[in-house]
C-alpha cells in the first residue's frame, strides 16, 4: 500500500509539472486553457486524504502548481480509493473508463471537466510511448511522427529544465 | 479482461397505471405530509391536466394548499427561489410537480431550498453538497420523454452569469413518480413523437454508452420495445389509454436506464442545437440518433446489433444474420423516423428543420466537445468527428 501511495504521489507531481510546462510551451494545451479565467483552480486528489495536486491559472495564462488549499477549487477530480488512482496511473484502463465506472467523483462544471480532460490526454500523448498511450486513452490522436517528436521534445525540455 | 464494475441506484417508487393519481394522498400521508404545493406551468393548466390531479388529492383528503404556476420553458435560479417562497409562505410540507422537464427541475431546485434553507441554490452545487433527504416530492410527468421523474439531476439556468447549473444528487430523486395514462392523453401528435424519440434515445444511448451495465441494459431494452410498439398505436389512436400508458411507461423505464448509464454523443450534439438553434430537444434526438449510431459502430457493433431484437421483435431478429444486425437496427430507427415524418412532420434532417444554417455546424461541433455527455461515448469524439456526424445529419 505504501508503494502504491508513493507511486500515485509521484504521478500527481508528474502530472502537475507536465501540465504547468505544457501551459507554457504546448500550443494545444495553451488553446484549451485560454478560455478559462485567470484564477481558475483545478484539484486532483485521492480520497479520503491521499496524494493530491492543485493547479491555478495565473494572469499570464499559464498554470502554476501549489499545495491543496481549504478553498473549494473550480474543478475537482477525486479518486474514491487509492487503488482506483493506481489503476488509472498505471494505465490499466482508460481514464474515460474509470470515470464511467464511477471510480472517481468529478466536482464542478462538466464543460470545465471536458476541457481539463483534453489537456490531460494531450499530456499523456506527448509523454507516454504510443503503446502505453493506447491503454490510457480511448483513441490516440493520429499525429505525424515529426510533429509529435517536436512537441514532445519541447515539453520534456520544459519539464526537466524550465 | 477483469470483471467489470458498475453502480446502479434507482430507488424511486413508481406508481403506474389505472387511477395512479388516486394513490398520491396515501403516499403523502405515509410520509407525514398533508399540505402539498402544486408546481406546474400555464400550458399544463390550459391542457386541463391539473384538474384530475387536484381532484384526486382533494378526494384523498390532501388538497393542494398553494400553487406555483410561473414556470417558463427553461427554469432559472430566480424561478426556483420564487417557488420556494410560495412553499414557505403557505407552510407547505410537500411538493407535487405536474409537467415536463422544466417544471420537474424547478421543483427539484425549490425542494433543495425549502429543505436546506436559504434562497441561493448555488450553495448546493457540486457532488456531495446535499447530505440528507429532502422534503416529500412527487412527480407527475405530462410528456412521455424526459425521464426526469426518475433521474438524479436538475439543470437550472443562472440568468446573471448566463450559464446552466447542473445539480446532481441522489437526494434530488423524487419519493414517487406517478405514471397515469390520463396525463399524456392530450399531448399533441408532434410533441408525442418528438418526446418519444427523446425517450428512445435515452434508452439507446444507455445501452451503448461507456457506463452501460447489465441492469441498465435490461431497462433499456424493455424501454425500447415499449416505445417502438406503443408510438405507432398512439399516433393512430391518440385517445387509446393503453397505448398512451405503454409509451409513458417506456419513457420512465428509459429514464431509469439512462440515470444509471448516462447519455452520450446524440445528447452532446443535441444540447448545442437546442441552445443555439432553438430546436425542440426531441426533434434533435430523432434526427441525430441514426448518424451517431453509425459513428459508434466501430466500438459497439455487437450492442447496436442486439438492439434489433427490441426494435423489430424476435422473428425479424432471427431472420437477419448476426453480421447484418447492426445495420438492420439502424435501418429500423430510420424507418421509424421516416414514419414520424410522414405522419406528423417530424424533421428527418437538420436542413428539414429550417432553423439551422449549414455554416453553424462547425461552431456547434466545437461546443459539443465541452458537453459532459461526451464523456460516456464509447468512441472518442474530436471536432472533425462531431462535425462529420452533423454534416451527415444535414441532408
Amino acid at each position: 500500500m505504501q508503494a502504491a501511495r508513493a507511486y500515485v504521489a509521484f504521478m500527481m507531481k508528474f502530472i502537475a509539472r507536465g501540465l504547468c510546462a505544457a501551459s507554457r510551451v504546448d500550443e494545444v494545451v495553451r488553446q484549451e486553457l485560454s478560455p478559462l479565467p485567470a484564477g481558475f483552480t483545478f484539484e486532483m486528489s485521492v480520497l479520503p486524504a491521499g496524494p493530491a495536486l492543485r493547479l491555478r491559472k495565473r494572469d499570464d495564462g499559464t498554470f502554476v502548481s501549489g499545495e491543496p488549499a481549504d478553498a473549494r477549487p473550480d474543478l475537482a477530480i477525486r479518486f474514491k480509493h487509492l487503488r482506483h488512482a493506481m489503476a488509472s496511473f498505471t494505465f490499466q484502463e482508460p481514464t474515460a473508463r474509470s470515470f464511467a465506472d464511477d471510480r472517481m467523483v468529478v466536482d464542478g462544471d462538466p464543460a470545465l471537466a471536458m476541457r481539463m480532460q483534453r489537456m490531460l490526454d494531450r499530456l499523456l500523448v506527448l509523454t507516454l510511448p504510443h503503446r502505453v498511450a493506447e491503454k490510457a486513452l480511448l483513441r490516440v490522436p493520429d499525429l505525424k511522427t515529426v510533429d509529435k517528436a517536436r512537441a514532445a521534445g519541447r515539453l520534456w525540455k520544459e519539464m526537466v529544465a524550465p | 479482461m477483469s470483471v467489470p464494475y458498475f453502480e446502479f441506484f434507482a430507488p424511486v417508487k413508481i406508481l403506474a397505471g389505472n387511477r395512479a393519481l388516486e394513490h398520491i394522498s396515501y403516499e403523502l400521508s405515509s410520509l407525514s405530509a398533508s399540505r402539498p404545493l402544486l408546481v406546474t406551468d400555464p400550458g399544463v393548466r390550459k391542457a386541463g391536466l391539473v384538474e384530475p390531479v387536484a381532484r384526486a388529492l382533494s378526494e384523498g383528503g390532501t388538497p393542494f394548499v398553494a400553487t406555483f404556476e410561473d414556470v417558463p420553458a427553461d427554469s432559472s435560479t430566480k424561478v426556483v427561489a420564487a417557488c420556494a417562497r410560495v412553499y414557505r409562505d403557505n407552510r407547505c410540507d410537500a411538493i407535487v410537480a405536474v409537467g415536463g422537464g422544466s417544471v420537474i427541475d424547478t421543483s427539484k431546485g425549490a425542494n433543495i431550498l425549502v429543505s436546506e434553507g436559504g434562497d441561493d441554490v448555488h450553495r448546493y452545487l457540486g457532488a456531495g453538497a446535499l447530505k440528507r433527504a429532502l422534503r416529500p416530492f412527487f412527480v407527475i410527468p405530462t410528456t412521455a420523454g424526459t425521464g426526469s421523474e426518475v433521474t438524479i439531476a436538475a439543470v437550472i439556468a443562472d440568468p446573471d452569469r448566463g450559464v446552466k447549473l447542473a445539480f446532481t444528487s441522489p437526494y434530488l430523486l423524487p419519493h414517487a413518480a406517478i405514471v397515469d395514462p390520463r396525463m399524456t392523453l392530450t399531448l399533441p401528435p408532434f410533441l408525442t413523437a418528438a418526446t418519444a424519440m427523446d425517450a428512445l434515445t435515452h434508452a439507446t444511448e444507455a445501452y451503448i454508452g461507456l457506463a452501460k451495465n447489465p441492469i441498465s441494459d435490461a431497462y433499456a431494452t424493455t424501454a425500447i420495445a415499449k416505445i417502438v410498439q406503443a408510438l405507432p398505436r398512439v399516433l393512430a389512436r391518440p385517445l387509446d389509454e393503453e397505448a398512451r400508458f405503454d409509451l409513458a411507461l417506456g419513457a420512465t423505464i428509459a429514464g431509469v436506464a439512462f440515470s444509471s448509464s448516462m447519455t452520450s454523443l446524440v445528447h452532446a450534439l443535441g444540447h448545442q442545437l437546442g441552445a443555439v438553434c432553438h430546436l425542440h430537444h426531441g426533434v434533435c434526438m430523432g434526427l441525430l440518433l441514426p448518424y451517431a449510431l453509425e459513428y459508434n459502430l466501430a466500438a459497439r457493433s455487437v450492442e447496436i446489433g442486439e438492439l434489433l431484437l427490441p426494435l423489430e421483435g424476435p422473428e425479424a431478429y432471427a431472420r437477419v444474420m448476426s453480421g447484418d444486425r447492426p445495420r438492420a437496427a439502424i435501418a429500423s430507427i430510420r424507418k421509424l423516423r421516416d414514419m414520424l415524418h410522414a405522419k406528423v412532420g417530424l424533421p428527418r434532417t437538420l436542413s428539414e428543420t429550417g432553423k439551422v444554417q449549414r455554416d453553424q455546424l462547425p461552431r456547434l461541433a466545437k461546443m459539443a466537445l465541452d458537453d459532459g455527455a461526451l464523456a460516456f461515448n464509447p468512441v472518442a469524439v474530436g471536432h472533425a468527428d462531431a462535425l462529420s456526424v452533423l454534416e451527415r445529419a444535414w441532408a
Side-chain angles (χ1 to χ4, degrees):
Chain A
M1 193 74 170
Q2 273 197 333
R5 192 180 178 87
Y7 177 77
V8 170
F10 166 78
M11 286 303 293
M12 290 278 191
K13 283 202 169 89
F14 177 83
I15 290 168
R17 196 175 179 89
L19 284 174
C20 288
S23 72
R24 294 191 294 269
V25 299
D26 186 69
E27 204 42 48
V28 174
V29 168
R30 288 180 64 80
Q31 275 180 18
E32 292 288 0
L33 193 50
S34 64
L36 303 184
F40 163 79
T41 49
F42 167 67
E43 198 170 289
M44 183 187 281
S45 60
V46 179
L47 294 171
L53 70 85
R54 190 178 179 101
L55 299 174
R56 182 175 58 82
K57 185 181 172 184
R58 294 190 287 206
D59 291 341
D60 67 2
T62 63
F63 269 139
V64 62
S65 175
E67 289 299 308
D70 289 338
R72 190 173 150 179
D74 296 300
L75 176 69
I77 295 176
R78 307 189 198 286
F79 288 97
K80 291 180 179 176
H81 193 282
L82 186 68
R83 294 292 177 199
H84 303 331
M86 189 67 182
S88 274
F89 290 163
T90 51
F91 315 112
Q92 294 171 43
E93 60 187 16
T95 316
R97 170 89 267 151
S98 305
F99 175 62
D101 288 351
D102 288 303
R103 305 294 196 186
M104 57 181 85
V105 179
V106 176
D107 198 353
D109 183 345
L112 293 177
M114 297 301 290
R115 192 167 284 275
M116 206 63 224
Q117 185 58 52
R118 291 197 293 273
M119 290 189 243
L120 286 164
D121 288 353
R122 173 73 175 174
L123 177 66
L124 296 182
V125 167
L126 295 183
T127 54
L128 294 178
H130 189 82
R131 286 197 174 184
V132 181
E134 279 180 331
K135 291 188 174 181
L137 304 170
L138 281 184
R139 179 178 67 190
V140 180
D142 195 13
L143 295 177
K144 284 184 186 166
T145 309
V146 63
D147 290 343
K148 182 183 169 180
R150 197 174 291 145
R154 269 198 303 270
L155 179 60
W156 277 112
K157 185 169 172 247
E158 186 70 13
M159 284 172 71
V160 174
Chain B
M1 189 180 162
S2 60
V3 173
Y5 172 83
F6 67 89
E7 296 182 3
F8 185 89
F9 182 69
V12 179
K13 185 168 187 175
I14 294 172
L15 315 176
N18 189 28
R19 293 195 298 276
L21 297 176
E22 282 72 10
H23 284 257
I24 299 174
S25 292
Y26 172 80
E27 296 296 331
L28 281 169
S29 61
S30 72
L31 293 167
S32 302
S34 60
R35 296 178 61 79
L37 167 71
L38 165 67
V39 182
T40 189
D41 66 40
V44 171
R45 165 83 70 186
K46 200 173 161 195
L49 297 174
V50 169
E51 201 274 330
V53 182
R55 188 173 58 231
L57 265 69
S58 286
E59 290 171 355
T62 56
F64 289 121
V65 296
T67 300
F68 183 80
E69 203 172 302
D70 303 325
V71 180
D74 288 309
S75 186
S76 73
T77 49
K78 287 178 179 163
V79 175
V80 164
C83 182
R85 272 196 298 279
V86 172
Y87 180 103
R88 290 179 183 128
D89 290 348
N90 292 279
R91 293 178 291 110
C92 298
D93 58 13
I95 295 176
V96 177
V98 183
S102 182
V103 166
I104 297 170
D105 284 357
T106 298
S107 302
K108 286 178 177 176
N111 203 18
I112 294 174
L113 293 180
V114 300
S115 303
E116 295 289 327
D119 288 318
D120 184 9
V121 79
H122 290 91
R123 286 170 52 198
Y124 305 102
L125 266 175
L130 294 172
K131 304 280 188 198
R132 57 184 175 173
L134 306 182
R135 295 289 161 79
F137 175 38
F138 293 72
V139 172
I140 308 169
T142 55
T143 63
T146 69
S148 291
E149 66 275 16
V150 287
T151 64
I152 61 172
V155 178
I156 297 163
D158 178 349
D160 296 333
R161 290 167 55 208
V163 294
K164 288 196 171 184
L165 309 174
F167 294 84
T168 310
S169 166
Y171 295 117
L172 291 178
L173 285 165
H175 289 84
I178 297 95
V179 184
D180 188 305
R182 286 171 285 180
M183 301 310 289
T184 53
L185 213 51
T186 56
L187 194 65
F190 185 90
L191 284 178
T192 298
T195 51
M197 290 309 284
D198 185 22
L200 181 68
T201 305
H202 290 153
T204 306
E205 294 210 290
Y207 195 78
I208 67 160
L210 273 182
K212 76 190 255 78
N213 63 69
I215 302 178
S216 70
D217 284 354
Y219 281 92
T221 50
T222 301
I224 291 169
K226 276 211 169 297
I227 293 163
V228 297
Q229 287 167 24
L231 182 55
R233 288 160 52 213
V234 169
L235 293 177
R237 297 178 58 204
L239 296 179
D240 180 339
E241 283 204 10
E242 203 176 310
R244 284 284 188 185
F245 174 64
D246 282 348
L247 187 57
L249 193 57
T252 298
I253 297 170
V256 175
F258 93 87
S259 190
S260 166
S261 295
M262 312 305 283
T263 57
S264 48
L265 178 58
V266 185
H267 276 77
L269 294 171
H271 291 154
Q272 319 317 318
L273 283 162
V276 174
C277 307
H278 308 292
L279 277 185
H280 186 280
H281 179 67
V283 170
C284 302
M285 299 297 101
L287 65 85
L288 289 169
L289 182 57
Y291 304 103
L293 287 175
E294 282 174 352
Y295 178 76
N296 282 318
L297 273 174
R300 286 290 194 247
S301 65
V302 172
E303 290 81 359
I304 293 171
E306 288 167 353
L307 292 179
L308 187 62
L309 181 58
L311 282 167
E312 290 287 342
E315 288 179 12
Y317 180 81
R319 274 199 304 271
V320 180
M321 300 289 285
S322 62
D324 296 331
R325 284 173 188 157
R327 291 282 173 194
I330 295 172
S332 173
I333 291 173
R334 282 182 195 274
K335 189 177 70 179
L336 177 65
R337 186 197 61 171
D338 293 347
M339 183 274 282
L340 297 177
H341 176 72
K343 288 214 169 213
V344 303
L346 206 68
R348 294 164 297 183
T349 61
L350 288 173
S351 57
E352 273 183 3
T353 65
K355 291 184 174 177
V356 186
Q357 304 298 316
R358 195 164 190 171
D359 60 8
Q360 290 178 300
L361 301 188
R363 180 180 162 225
L364 292 165
K366 189 169 183 216
M367 288 169 66
L369 301 184
D370 285 346
D371 194 288
L374 222 47
F376 297 93
N377 202 64
V379 180
V381 179
H383 181 257
D385 308 311
L387 182 57
S388 76
V389 174
L390 288 172
E391 286 284 0
R392 288 173 65 82
W394 174 258

